[in-house]
């Protein structure tokens, strides 16, 4: 009896061990299956993310009554887009609203004037009475005063530290100690808009810079340039101001001086600076353009004045004076000049029709 019970108990224990082993295998198989399912889900999700489209974590539904846990691995891609936009001009004309003036030629200059040099007929006008900073257009008056002073052009002048720009901190290849003749400095001031050369011209005027600036303003009054005022000879100061109407008068006066016509329209000039020979170039790219017949020109730029250009040129059989002030964009004054020439050429009988004059916006005086 005892032996039967012992045998029965041993069989029962073996049966329980076998049952636990079978259960363990079943659980292991289930875990392996779940692992494969999760792995498939991760692979699919990762592939979908790489192709930048959203997909489900798994395409197979879990068996009824069971919950399947899927793992999603997401890759985040960040793209940076840089947009280059035109920075609004900080010029006086822009702030005064001159660029909102209706303009049939769609010029990018805030102020403009085109007139016949011989008849003084105004062909085109836009804010021509607005008083604005004129930048290096000031050098045209500097050159006119120097030419009328009749100082020796072959006299040697020396660049000093007094000629270094502390207003805008512009650079120059004319280092302190550089010695050039007055004629070469005048040439560089008109052609290459050399600031140190222009300042040296004024500094070596009888009575110095103070007397020279007074002479500039006296000449402006003599010419009837009532909207014009100068404080220095280079144009680096935004206090040098004028209007398109006044500048047309200045261009006409300067054009009467053969030396200023020659110096302002030279494409380039080789200058000996010590042991080196340095080539200076015009700041007006239209000078080297064979399709333009320019008798006199001057460019200018500081932030407050924008891009500026004045010139005397022949087109469509007419001698014209063109003034462009406060142009927005590096090449916009050139584009505006081209637009005006095209318009004049297409309407060369414009003297018989009213000139397209736009309204004048107020600017600081």
């Amino acid at each position: 009896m005892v032996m039967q019970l012992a045998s029965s108990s041993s069989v029962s224990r073996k049966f329980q061990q076998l049952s636990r082993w079978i259960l363990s295998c079943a659980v292991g198989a289930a875990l392996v299956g779940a692992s494969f399912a999760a792995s498939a889900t991760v692979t699919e999700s990762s592939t979908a993310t790489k192709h930048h489209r959203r997909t489900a974590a798994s395409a197979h539904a879990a068996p009824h009554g069971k919950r399947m846990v899927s793992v999603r691995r997401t890759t985040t891609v960040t793209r940076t887009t840089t947009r280059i936009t035109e920075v609004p001009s900080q010029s006086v004309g822009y702030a005064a609203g001159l660029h909102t003036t209706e303009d049939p030629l769609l010029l990018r200059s805030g102020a403009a004037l085109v007139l016949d040099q011989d008849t003084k007929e105004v062909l085109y006008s836009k804010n021509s009475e607005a008083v604005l900073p004129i930048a290096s257009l000031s050098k045209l008056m500097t050159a006119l005063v120097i030419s009328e002073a009749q100082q020796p052009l072959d006299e040697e002048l020396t660049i000093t530290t007094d000629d270094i720009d502390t207003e805008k901190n512009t650079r120059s290849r004319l280092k302190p100690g550089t010695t050039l003749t007055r004629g070469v400095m005048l040439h560089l001031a008109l052609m290459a808009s050399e600031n140190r050369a222009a300042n040296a011209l004024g500094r070596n005027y009888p009575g110095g810079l103070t007397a020279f600036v007074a002479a500039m303003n006296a000449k402006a009054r003599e010419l009837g340039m009532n909207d014009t005022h100068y404080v220095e000879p280079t144009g680096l100061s935004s206090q040098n101001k004028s209007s398109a109407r006044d500048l047309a008068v200045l261009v006409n006066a300067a054009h009467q001086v053969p030396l200023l016509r020659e110096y302002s329209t030279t494409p380039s000039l080789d200058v000996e600076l010590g042991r080196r020979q340095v080539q200076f170039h015009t700041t007006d790219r239209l000078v080297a353009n064979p399709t333009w017949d320019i008798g006199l020109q001057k460019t200018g730029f500081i932030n407050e004045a924008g891009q500026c250009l004045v010139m005397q040129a022949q087109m469509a059989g007419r001698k014209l004076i063109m003034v462009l002030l406060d142009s927005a964009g590096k090449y916009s004054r050139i584009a505006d000049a081209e637009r005006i020439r095209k318009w004049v050429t297409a309407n060369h009988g414009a003297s018989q029709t009213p000139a397209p004059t736009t309204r004048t916006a107020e600017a600081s005086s």
Side-chain angles (χ1 to χ4, degrees):
M1 183 70 175
V2 173
M3 291 296 293
Q4 274 187 329
L5 289 175
S7 177
S8 175
S9 176
S10 176
V11 171
S12 177
R13 282 195 303 271
K14 290 181 180 181
F15 180 77
Q16 289 176 357
Q17 291 174 352
L18 179 62
S19 298
R20 283 196 297 268
W21 181 80
I22 293 174
L23 180 61
S24 176
C25 290
V27 171
L31 289 176
V32 171
S35 176
F36 276 116
S39 176
T41 302
V42 170
T43 301
E44 183 178 357
S45 178
S46 177
T47 302
T49 305
K50 288 180 181 179
H51 287 81
H52 304 288
R53 62 173 181 263
R54 301 174 64 182
T55 61
S58 175
H60 304 284
H64 182 70
K66 294 183 179 180
R67 294 181 61 189
M68 180 176 290
V69 179
S70 63
V71 179
R72 176 181 297 177
R73 184 170 58 195
T74 304
T75 303
T76 303
V77 179
T78 303
R79 293 181 178 179
T80 302
T81 302
T82 303
R83 294 183 179 180
I84 301 176
T85 57
E86 185 177 352
V87 179
S89 172
Q90 299 302 311
S91 68
V92 171
Y94 187 92
L98 299 189
H99 291 264
T100 63
T101 302
E102 292 182 5
D103 181 357
L105 294 189
L106 301 178
L107 302 182
R108 296 196 65 192
S109 298
L113 182 65
V114 182
L115 58 83
D116 189 297
Q117 186 178 15
D118 294 328
T119 67
K120 301 302 184 288
E121 176 192 5
V122 175
L123 305 182
Y124 193 87
S125 177
K126 174 184 178 182
N127 298 322
S128 61
E129 297 180 4
V131 179
L132 302 166
I134 57 173
S136 287
L137 300 186
S138 305
K139 294 185 179 75
L140 201 55
M141 179 61 84
T142 297
L144 184 59
V145 171
I146 289 295
S147 67
E148 292 186 350
Q150 297 184 347
Q151 292 177 279
L153 294 180
D154 59 355
E155 180 183 353
E156 291 188 337
L157 309 180
T158 301
I159 300 294
T160 71
T161 54
D162 292 334
D163 302 316
I164 295 176
D165 166 32
T166 57
E167 179 86 18
K168 297 290 190 295
N169 297 313
T170 56
R171 296 181 180 180
S172 172
R173 288 182 285 179
L174 302 183
K175 307 299 182 184
T178 300
T179 299
L180 299 171
T181 65
R182 178 177 282 105
V184 171
M185 288 202 180
L186 179 60
H187 203 157
L188 292 178
L190 280 175
M191 179 198 73
S193 205
E194 235 303 331
N195 293 311
R196 293 182 185 178
N199 197 75
L201 289 171
R203 187 170 48 77
N204 286 277
Y205 184 82
L209 275 176
T210 301
F212 185 76
V213 173
M216 293 174 71
N217 287 311
K219 187 61 181 179
R221 289 193 299 271
E222 178 189 326
L223 293 173
M225 299 169 60
N226 299 322
D227 295 328
T228 302
H229 181 70
Y230 301 98
V231 299
E232 49 84 29
T234 68
L236 289 168
S237 172
S238 60
Q239 296 306 307
N240 280 13
K241 295 182 179 181
S242 188
S243 64
R245 182 182 59 185
D246 276 10
L247 289 170
V249 174
L250 176 59
V251 170
N252 184 60
H255 186 260
Q256 309 308 314
V257 184
L259 185 67
L260 304 190
R261 294 201 301 267
E262 176 190 347
Y263 282 1
S264 72
T265 56
T266 306
S268 63
L269 181 67
D270 292 327
V271 180
E272 289 187 6
L273 299 181
R275 298 180 180 179
R276 299 180 301 128
Q277 189 169 39
V278 179
Q279 189 172 69
F280 291 79
H281 297 274
T282 179
T283 55
D284 185 358
R285 59 190 299 183
L286 294 179
V287 167
N289 189 329
T291 67
W292 280 81
D293 185 3
I294 299 174
L296 179 135
Q297 68 77 36
K298 187 69 194 77
T299 63
F301 170 77
I302 56 174
N303 288 332
E304 298 91 334
Q307 300 284 344
C308 303
L309 172 65
V310 297
M311 72 171 80
Q312 188 276 354
Q314 295 193 47
M315 59 189 74
R318 311 180 74 158
K319 296 177 181 178
L320 300 182
I321 291 176
M322 189 182 303
V323 181
L324 299 171
L325 301 180
D326 197 65
S327 190
K330 186 176 181 180
Y331 302 110
S332 56
R333 63 188 176 192
I334 302 299
D336 282 355
E338 293 284 6
R339 289 188 188 96
I340 290 173
R341 183 174 68 157
K342 182 178 180 181
W343 174 79
V344 169
T345 302
N347 302 273
H348 52 83
S351 59
Q352 301 174 0
T353 60
T357 303
T358 63
R359 69 176 179 84
T360 299
E362 241 178 73
S364 63
S365 57

